[in-house]
Amino acid sequence: MQAKPGWWQRAALYQIYARSWRDSNGDGIGDLLGIVEGLDYLSWLGVDGIWLSPTMPSPNTDWGYDVSDYLGVHPDLGTLADMDRLIEEAARRDIAVLLDLVPNHTSSSHPWFLDAIRAKQADHRGYYVWAPPKPGGAPPNNWTDATGAPAWTLGPGGDEYYLHNFLPTQPDLNWWDPRVHTEFEKVLRFWLDRGVGGFRIDVAHGLYKDAALRDDPPAMPGDHPAALRDGHRTVYSSHRPEVHTVYQRWRQITDNYEPARVLLGETWEFDPRRLAEYYGRERPELHLCFNFAFVFSEMRARSLAAAVEATLAALPLGSTPTWTASNHDLGRLATRWCHGDQRAARTALVLLASLPGVLVLYYGDELGLGDVEIPPDLQLDEMTRGRPGGSRDRCRTPMPWQPGENYGFCAPGTRPWLPMGEQASTNVHSERADHGSVLHLCRQLLALRRCGRLAAAGPVERVLLDDQVWAFRAGETITLANFSPTTTTRELALGGPLRTLASTRPGQTGEKVGPVFKLGPWEALVLTP
Ligand code: NOJ
């Protein structure tokens, strides 16, 4: 846990895909005690909190996002006692532990669902969304699930469909039933009482569905492709306004805890004004909201500047923006933004670290780690197997700690649960030994955030923007970056000499610079008076 009030407003959070970070017991699967082993590394790196991908019991049809017990720990990852130990050891290092909470759906093996499918009169029937077939037997409406198939599957009696926005093994909960609210408030308190620093909320925009189950309308010109499902706007199957009442309540609950706890939403919104609503209009809601318009920007000056400026213009005063470029669904920043160019990965880190608010790194980003293509016969992710975007397994591969067999993730001779690919010198040990590495740059950036030189709350003022270069002022620093592989020169009218606070080029800190800047390929600088 983090003791400082408001610690989360400038936090560097670090997402750990728990199965893939560090294996402590030799079964080829990362676990909670492995994370305990790695805490000193995280403390050295300078992170303020970790977000663990789902840790609760689950049959793993969606690798933990199909929860069968919200109050437990998955046996692959350890025990409740291990979780308590992790929370305690992390707190000793001033690191908060955020859990992944999945309130949109349960596993079809959850006791609530097992009861719900027993009979229409079953106690828990109303916990889920049921509807009769259309005449002729077709599903109740046109909603599709994450694989593109109908979002409805017939229950055992064959006379009612249940809803699943993801896999059929992930039935959606019915948030119109007040008992579901009570259950999740219990879950929240159970973990908050154990000392978790908060939650990342899965599918935060999706809990409520249209009460009349209306068809989703077709896409409109200009819609963001990632906002659509099967060519439709998901305005009835999710994104309902009632969801805000849930977060108002959850915020009241978390606000009663000391030290401060945090709610971080997976808010799949592409319009910054709608994103802003999740921070709360009349009453506070989520502390932090993932910003997918930014995540889906291209690694280009104009695209990033537009996303940042639109976000900051829309967010309510005093709210904390959240910046990330990678996660376990979409890929690692070194690949998806930077196409494997390590120079660009450095620039991405400088940019992410300089923006005001919270930074979320995905494990391996600090090393410049890229995705690993997994051959089809070894792919494990059912939701994306054979799908056009490729398997999500590519960005869930185990963490490389050191050179050699299994890269220190698990014992030699053990088979990691997913292949690790060829990591060459991209591993913690080699990069710690090299002061010019991506890892050392990342550590330096996090240290600058911690001491308040970077990421202070406030506006981002454009100093210069063209097709290649973006320079902005945030707080007392100016970040200047060349988003291209060619050298270029710009003059900045900054009214006085500046020094380099951080640079993508190793060893360039502290120099007096300007007003003319010759920027090498993908070079980025943070400048200070
Ligand atoms: C979003 C999660 O990040 C993803 O991994 C999961 O498959 C879906 N939600 C469903 O829970």
Side-chain angles (χ1 to χ4, degrees), residues 14-17 20-21 41-42 45 326 332-334 342 345 349 361-370 395 397-400 423 426-428 431 438-439 442:
Y14 182 95
Q15 182 191 353
I16 292 184
Y17 199 74
S20 290
W21 206 61
Y41 164 65
L42 293 178
L45 179 59
S326 42
R332 300 176 180 285
L333 74 80
Q342 291 287 299
L349 288 171
L361 294 172
Y362 184 50
Y363 78 101
D365 283 349
E366 77 276 25
L367 304 171
L369 187 68
C395 54
T397 54
M399 174 83 168
Q423 304 296 349
T426 309
N427 62 71
V428 174
E431 294 204 24
V438 178
L439 178 61
C442 186

Side-chain angles (χ1 to χ4, degrees), residues 335 370-376 379 389-391 393-395 397 419-421:
T335 302
D371 292 350
V372 174
E373 271 321 312
I374 308 290
Q379 289 175 9
S391 168
D393 291 329
R394 69 184 186 282
C395 54
T397 54
M420 300 194 62

